[in-house]
């Protein structure tokens, strides 16, 4: 991937989150037509003392606030880790068009693992979801982060 691709920017956000002592997850929300970055963030759960301050939630909140609308039907989300069930629900409610994620999360994921939120009959909107983008780089970042804390 080139150095200004959305997933590369998301990985940079994850690296900055790790440097702050946060679980290294980064997210970027882009306009689906122009590719313009609408919002970017890394996890801030520790810094904000907020269990909902996941990178995905932060970019959705930021972009929705800037747009003055709760739905972003023409936006694509790039995140370095498979979203959890909470984030998958927010992605659905925001009507995100496409989800691209890096590492799979067999323990806490909510898209391909766990709750599989988008496959539930109660899910009102399921984005196109594509996993494994820069998977090894994202997984290595997470593995190194947790190894360093043991």
């Amino acid at each position: 991937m080139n150095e200004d691709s959305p997933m590369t920017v998301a990985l940079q956000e994850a690296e900055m989150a790790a440097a702050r002592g946060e679980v290294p997850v980064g997210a970027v929300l882009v306009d689906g037509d122009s590719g313009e970055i609408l919002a970017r963030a890394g996890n801030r759960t520790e810094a904000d003392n907020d269990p909902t301050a996941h990178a995905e939630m932060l970019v959705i909140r930021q972009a929705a606030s800037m747009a003055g609308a709760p739905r972003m039907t023409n936006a694509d989300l790039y995140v370095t880790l498979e979203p959890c069930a909470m984030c998958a629900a927010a992605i659905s409610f925001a009507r995100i068009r496409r989800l691209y994620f890096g590492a799979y999360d067999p323990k806490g994921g909510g898209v391909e693992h766990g709750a599989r939120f988008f496959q539930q009959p109660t899910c009102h909107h399921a984005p196109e979801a594509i996993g494994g983008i820069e998977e090894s780089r994202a997984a290595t970042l997470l593995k190194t982060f947790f190894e360093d804390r043991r």
Side-chain angles (χ1 to χ4, degrees):
M1 299 213 130
N2 66 39
E3 60 189 56
D4 57 349
S5 73
M7 187 57 82
T8 300
V9 174
L11 285 160
Q12 292 167 353
E13 289 291 334
E15 290 166 353
M16 289 187 288
R20 295 189 307 269
E22 301 280 355
V23 174
V25 177
V28 174
L29 194 64
V30 302
D31 181 283
D33 290 330
S34 70
E36 173 191 359
I37 292 177
L38 303 172
R40 58 188 286 174
N43 275 359
R44 293 192 50 84
T45 57
E46 300 298 326
D48 294 354
N49 295 312
D50 180 356
T52 70
H54 291 195
E56 303 94 306
M57 301 291 280
L58 296 172
V59 296
I60 290 169
R61 288 177 189 149
Q62 182 182 357
S65 178
M66 288 176 17
R71 290 173 199 79
M72 291 156 281
T73 58
N74 196 42
D76 298 336
L77 177 64
Y78 293 78
V79 61
T80 58
L81 181 65
E82 175 183 350
C84 69
M86 172 185 69
C87 292
I91 291 163
S92 176
F93 293 142
R95 305 295 194 264
I96 302 294
R97 182 177 76 167
R98 283 191 198 99
L99 164 65
Y100 300 94
F101 66 88
Y104 290 85
D105 188 357
K107 185 176 178 183
V111 177
E112 297 288 332
H113 297 89
R116 295 188 170 145
F117 187 87
F118 302 138
Q119 296 174 16
Q120 300 306 311
T122 53
C123 178
H124 297 291
H125 168 77
E128 180 181 353
I130 301 153
I133 311 295
E134 291 284 328
E135 179 179 9
S136 62
R137 187 171 166 200
T140 298
L141 184 59
L142 286 156
K143 183 178 178 182
T144 301
F145 176 83
F146 286 111
E147 282 176 351
D148 290 348
R149 271 138 189 83
R150 289 189 185 128

